[in-house]
Each structure stands twice: as structure tokens, then as C-alpha cells.
Amino acid sequence: MAAAAVQRLLASRPVGQPDIGYTPDHNKYLDRSRRRQETEALPKTLPPGFPSELKSKLVWDGNSLAEAYDWNYHLSDDDLAEIHSALQHFKGLNEPLGFVSRDIFPLPKLHHRLREISDEVHNGHGFKVIRGVPVTKYTREENIIIYAGIASHIAPIRGRQDNQFDGKPADVVLAHIKDLSSQVEATQIGSPAYTAEKQVFHTDVGDVIALFALGEAAEGGQSYLSSAWKVYNELAATRPDLIWTLSEPWAADTFGKSDKPYNLAPLLHFQPKTETQPERLIIQYARRSFTGYWGLPRSSDIPPITEAQAEALDALHYTAEKYAVSLDFHQGDIQLANNLSIFHARAGFRDSKEKQRHLVRLWLRDPDHAWKTPEVLQPRWDYVYKGVTPEASVLPLEPYIRSASSGSKNEVDH
């Protein structure tokens, strides 16, 4: 990023904002942690109701996970033949892409396996990778039909990722993740999704995040996942004060794209066990909402984050990094992750003329397995899932910067 843009970010941050940027600085993290523990009276116990330890398949260490869990599903020749047949069936109907569904993208044999994958994502280890879609065999439109078709058997509801397309109201349900920094000014980019930079551990919005690799980078760009439940267990055991911090309201910057300058919500939500549901921990956060990024610096007219919150952000990232699994993510792979309990990140990368990293993303929901949405998050979930119709759904074929991640501040994204 240009030096001038960096200075703009620093100059525009709120008065009192800690010295913290989107890219974590390990030395600053260690210094802040040491300083706070030496000078502050930090809580030694957890908030009321929060467990000292979570026990579940969702608690895993990526350094040893492969010994106990195979997260890969390799599409067989029979699977690929069935997918090709479903593609031809859908194309024969001449329906718009927004109408792709399990009913008109029929996978009679593969369907059962895809339902098992949904169960694994919601109730098992929290993620799965489907490998082997022959991307080069199909056109861009056909690949997106295949992707949406397969996903519809795993989680049939596609979420809204933008509310306008080509300047008109629309339910944009597919987003492209690609480096566009050579095509647009840095001031127009407000998310690392549109750069080649490292992307820190975070969550998206909604229940399940799906990523389909249309292309891979010439170098780098590894995909990482980490168990938020494992991160919780470590922080609960070593720094219960940070659990207090994470479970208290944070001011998430809306960057001028809402009728409110910021939204107040905790990052961490605990749901005790009930007669019908196991205990569940939900974490929702994007670091850039608290630090800013490129063309969307932290707004100067909203409350700064606190030193405790700055430390908590770094603690989440570095603890997630410690226990992450690196996925061998290649062209033709579809990665599915429980967005409520799994952090994801990526390494920086370099594209070439011949090889360019290009992912397409869906935010999905499966009513059969969906977790209960915390009340404070319901408005955001309503924006993503409520009222999305096939008629208004758009699945763009070419990359563009969605409104919520654009440096322009005049689009509304509630």
C-alpha cells in the first residue's frame, strides 16, 4: 500500500485509538500484553455462565488434526458424471442462475454424501473440502452453476452479499475474491479480499462460508482454518480477562454504509446446553471493522477501541495461527466451513499472467442443521438471508468490489 494511504489511515483514526493496524505486529502484541498484565487488575475468573473448557469435535489442533480426521472428499468419476448431467439439465431449463436449486440441479446419488458433509460442517469438525471439479472443462458460467448446484445440496439458502448490482437493487449472492489492486485505486479498496496481501484470521457473516477455487496463485495464497473453540479454551485457561473483553459490546465501524456510524455487539456469544441443542460458542468478527483497511480507515467520529480490545484482537489472531491447519487448496476445490466456530485466513500471494488466484464465495444456511442465531446478531442475519428471492438473485460472472468493501462511503449495507 502507498505510504500516503498509510498516513491517511493513521491520521484519520479516532482520538485514543490504540497503535494497532489490520496486519498484526507480534512485538506490539507482546508488549501490550505484558504492559496490561503488569499495570492493570485483570479478572482472574471467567464471566458468569461461560465454561472453563469446551469439549467437542469442534475443538481441534490443526498441527495434529490430519491424524484423526480426513477433511477431503474427492469427487469420483460417477460423481462427476452426475454433476455434468445436472448441469445439462439445468441449462436445458433456460432459467436464470438465481434459480439454481437442489430440485433442478438433481444429484440423486451424490445428494446423500453432500447431506453428510452438511452434518459434518454443523455438528462435526466444522469444515470439509470437496476436491476435483474440472474447472478447465467448463465455461465461467457453467462452473458457477456447478458450484451453486453442489452447494444447494449442502445448504440450500444462499445469503445476500451485496444489495445492488450495476447500480440497481439486487440480491447479489455470490462474491469474487481476487486481487484487483492493479485495476482500481487503493482508496477504493476496503478489504484484503481484493488484494494479494495476507488476510488475518476472521469470520465472515452467516452460518456457512463456501469458497470455490476457479484459479490458484503462481506463488503463495495458502488457505488456513482454525478452531475458534480451541482458541477459546486456551484463552479461558490463560487469560480469562480477555474472555470478558470479547463478550462485552464492541463498536464495529460501518464505514458510513449504514444509517448508524457503528454497531454495538459482543464478538463472543455462549449458548448453554438445552433439551434440544448442545452448548455452543459463537464468535463473529472481522478485524478490519476495528482497525480499518486501505480505503476504509477506522472512522474518526466513532469511539476508539480500547487497549484491552486491541490485545484481544491480536490474541485471537496469534492463538488461531498457533493451532491452524493449512489446506492444500487448488483449482477445482470447494472449501466449506462453519462460519460460527471456525476462523479462516490466507497467506499473501503472487499472481502471474498464467496463474491467478480467483475464488468465488457463497454464504449459506441449512435450515436442517442451522444453529440458533444470537439475538444481537439477528439484524445482520436478516440482511444476509431474509427476503432473498431467486428472481432478484444475481451471481456475477466477473469480479467487482462489493459495496460493503468499497472505499466509497455512500452505499448502504446494513
Side-chain angles (χ1 to χ4, degrees):
M1 185 179 181
V6 174
Q7 290 305 312
R8 176 190 170 200
L9 176 62
L10 295 175
S12 63
R13 66 188 184 189
V15 175
Q17 178 82 351
D19 180 14
I20 185 172
Y22 174 80
T23 302
D25 184 313
H26 197 246
N27 288 332
K28 289 181 181 179
Y29 166 53
L30 294 178
D31 288 345
R32 178 174 282 117
S33 179
R34 182 169 52 250
R35 183 172 64 250
R36 292 194 64 241
Q37 292 183 75
E38 289 175 352
T39 62
E40 299 182 36
L42 304 176
K44 303 296 185 184
T45 58
L46 292 166
F50 277 74
S52 58
E53 183 182 13
L54 295 164
K55 296 181 179 180
S56 165
K57 289 182 180 179
L58 283 168
V59 180
W60 46 258
D61 181 347
N63 299 292
S64 57
L65 182 61
E67 299 170 10
Y69 175 55
D70 181 3
W71 55 80
N72 302 302
Y73 178 74
H74 297 274
L75 293 168
S76 68
D77 289 343
D78 287 346
D79 293 335
L80 293 174
E82 194 169 80
I83 289 167
H84 184 78
S85 177
L87 170 67
Q88 299 309 313
H89 177 78
F90 177 79
K91 289 176 66 177
L93 300 175
N94 293 316
E95 294 279 12
L97 298 189
F99 283 82
V100 176
S101 70
R102 62 176 63 168
D103 292 331
I104 55 177
F105 193 90
L107 299 171
K109 295 180 181 178
L110 184 55
H111 172 79
H112 177 70
R113 180 59 183 143
L114 296 178
R115 296 306 299 148
E116 290 178 340
I117 288 174
S118 179
D119 183 58
E120 181 66 45
V121 168
H122 288 86
N123 305 309
H125 293 84
F127 74 99
K128 201 77 177 178
V129 181
I130 299 172
R131 300 193 184 275
V133 177
V135 169
T136 57
K137 177 180 176 179
Y138 297 109
T139 66
R140 172 70 57 77
E141 182 177 49
E142 288 172 335
N143 275 302
I144 287 177
I145 292 170
I146 289 169
Y147 175 40
I150 291 173
S152 70
H153 289 263
I154 297 169
I157 300 174
R158 291 188 288 269
R160 182 189 289 110
Q161 300 190 52
D162 204 348
N163 55 16
Q164 56 181 285
F165 184 71
D166 280 345
K168 300 176 183 178
D171 295 332
V172 181
V173 297
L174 179 138
H176 291 258
I177 311 299
K178 194 173 189 298
D179 179 17
L180 302 179
S181 59
S182 64
Q183 302 174 36
V184 298
E185 295 292 331
T187 54
Q188 294 301 305
I189 295 176
S191 167
Y194 306 107
T195 76
E197 289 193 337
K198 170 183 178 178
Q199 198 165 18
V200 303
F201 284 98
H202 65 288
T203 64
D204 281 15
V205 180
D207 294 10
V208 176
I209 175 174
L211 294 169
F212 177 34
L214 294 176
E216 55 189 278
E219 182 180 339
Q222 292 85 355
S223 179
Y224 301 103
L225 298 180
S226 191
S227 163
W229 289 30
K230 178 71 171 178
V231 171
Y232 172 87
N233 281 353
E234 173 142 326
L235 295 181
T238 61
R239 291 295 303 277
D241 61 290
L242 293 181
I243 302 300
W244 280 90
T245 300
L246 292 166
S247 62
E248 294 168 348
W250 292 49
D253 201 340
T254 62
F255 300 110
K257 299 175 184 294
S258 174
D259 51 3
K260 297 185 292 185
Y262 59 90
N263 293 316
L264 275 177
L267 274 57
L268 196 63
H269 312 264
F270 178 67
Q271 298 175 336
K273 180 180 179 180
T274 68
E275 291 183 0
T276 58
Q277 299 287 344
E279 66 174 3
R280 283 172 172 157
L281 183 86
I282 292 173
I283 187 161
Q284 283 284 289
Y285 89 106
R287 186 179 174 105
R288 71 183 185 94
S289 298
F290 307 105
T291 64
Y293 186 83
W294 283 31
L296 291 178
R298 176 80 171 177
S299 298
S300 59
D301 57 349
I302 68 174
I305 65 172
T306 65
E307 286 290 326
Q309 290 173 332
E311 186 191 357
L313 285 176
D314 281 345
L316 288 177
H317 173 77
Y318 285 113
T319 311
E321 189 174 68
K322 179 179 176 182
Y323 294 116
V325 63
S326 177
L327 301 183
D328 195 19
F329 199 36
H330 292 299
Q331 184 182 61
D333 291 349
I334 299 173
Q335 172 186 300
L336 299 127
N338 184 327
N339 189 57
L340 305 175
S341 64
I342 302 288
F343 298 127
H344 60 280
R346 70 135 194 260
F349 63 92
R350 180 184 63 81
D351 282 340
S352 67
K353 185 177 180 180
E354 296 77 20
K355 297 190 70 175
Q356 298 184 10
R357 191 178 195 272
H358 187 177
L359 310 182
V360 280
R361 180 181 68 194
L362 294 170
W363 289 342
L364 304 171
R365 184 173 175 87
D366 181 0
D368 291 343
H369 293 302
W371 293 14
K372 180 181 178 182
T373 304
E375 184 177 351
V376 71
L377 297 179
Q378 193 62 55
R380 185 59 172 152
W381 256 242
D382 287 345
Y383 170 78
V384 172
Y385 294 117
K386 192 174 182 179
V388 178
T389 65
E391 292 81 4
S393 291
V394 175
L395 289 80
L397 299 184
E398 297 299 327
Y400 81 100
I401 299 175
R402 68 189 186 103
S403 302
S405 301
S406 168
S408 301
K409 294 195 174 188
N410 56 353
E411 299 99 341
V412 175
D413 180 39
H414 293 290

